[in-house]
Amino acid sequence: MSRLDSFIRRLTAQKTLLEDVAERVKSVEGPVLELGLGNGRTYDHIREILDDREIFVFDRDLACHPSCIPDGDHMIFGEIRDTLAFCGPRIGEPAAFIHCDLGSGDPTTDLATSSWLSPLVDQHTKPGGYVLSGLALDLGNFDELPKPEGIRPGRYHLYKKHG
Ligand SMILES: C[S@@+](CC[C@H](N)C(=O)[O-])C[C@H]1O[C@@H](n2cnc3c(N)ncnc32)[C@H](O)[C@@H]1O
């Protein structure tokens, strides 16, 4: 498969899954955490489909489209390993939904990321809340949910925390 095809499939899967979670998370109160602002594409989509939610966005850099810059209260700069660990007072309550888009493309880096990220994601997700991640996470308190039709196995991981 060409890199172009792979890119298109990745973005299509992200859109499908984000819209699936937006429906599911209607019954769970709480903020949304976007881990990895990047270009701002998924943040922009999340704020459109979950327009009643407070969304906190994490990244070490600001490299997004100018129309997608979060306001100062909701952009959390720095290494996510540090900022996610200590964001509790700022976000106020555990998240209803965490979207993790931190894949590097390098399998060893991704395994290391998954290892420090998993307990932090668990800590900051509300019971009954959802996590969508490009990296497989080790989440003992969650069930991995089946994905909507058309998403290739292994491409994304959708989890729901035990209620
Ligand atoms: C794949 S991009 C996110 C793409 C974005 N969701 C979009 O739709 O445009 C990953 C982003 O995560 C950030 N990132 C990756 N690892 C990080 C870490 N450990 N701490 C902070 N930011 C990180 C990178 O700076 C990059 O902007």
Side-chain angles (χ1 to χ4, degrees):
M1 189 195 311
S2 73
R3 291 187 59 221
L4 179 61
D5 281 329
S6 174
F7 182 65
I8 291 167
R9 281 198 191 188
R10 178 170 154 252
L11 298 194
T12 305
Q14 274 185 327
K15 177 173 152 58
T16 302
L17 284 158
L18 287 173
E19 289 170 6
D20 181 78
V21 175
E23 276 304 307
R24 294 174 187 266
V25 84
K26 278 182 181 160
S27 58
V28 188
E29 286 182 10
V32 172
L33 307 187
E34 165 79 331
L35 308 185
L37 174 64
N39 187 276
R41 289 188 196 99
T42 52
Y43 166 62
D44 195 33
H45 200 57
I46 291 169
R47 69 181 174 176
E48 195 173 291
I49 59 179
L50 286 169
D51 60 358
D52 60 337
R53 298 298 172 126
E54 204 172 11
I55 306 171
F56 293 91
V57 184
F58 295 68
D59 207 300
R60 59 165 74 100
D61 293 321
L62 184 60
C64 66
H65 187 275
S67 66
C68 301
I69 301 174
D71 66 61
D73 288 340
H74 293 90
M75 180 73 224
I76 301 181
F77 278 115
E79 285 300 311
I80 290 169
R81 191 172 186 166
D82 302 324
T83 53
L84 187 58
F86 293 98
C87 70
R90 185 150 165 198
I91 67 174
E93 61 178 316
F97 171 40
I98 302 184
H99 177 230
C100 310
D101 194 9
L102 300 176
S104 70
D106 178 77
T108 308
T109 303
D110 287 350
L111 275 176
T113 301
S114 173
S115 133
W116 59 256
L117 184 61
S118 298
L120 291 175
V121 162
D122 185 0
Q123 185 186 333
H124 290 285
T125 307
K126 185 167 282 190
Y130 293 87
V131 172
L132 177 64
S133 175
L135 300 178
L137 300 176
D138 183 9
L139 295 173
N141 297 321
F142 291 66
D143 293 319
E144 182 156 7
L145 302 181
K147 290 179 284 287
E149 210 170 303
I151 311 292
R152 286 198 316 157
R155 184 168 279 271
Y156 267 96
H157 304 273
L158 177 58
Y159 305 95
K160 179 179 168 90
K161 190 163 182 174
H162 300 158

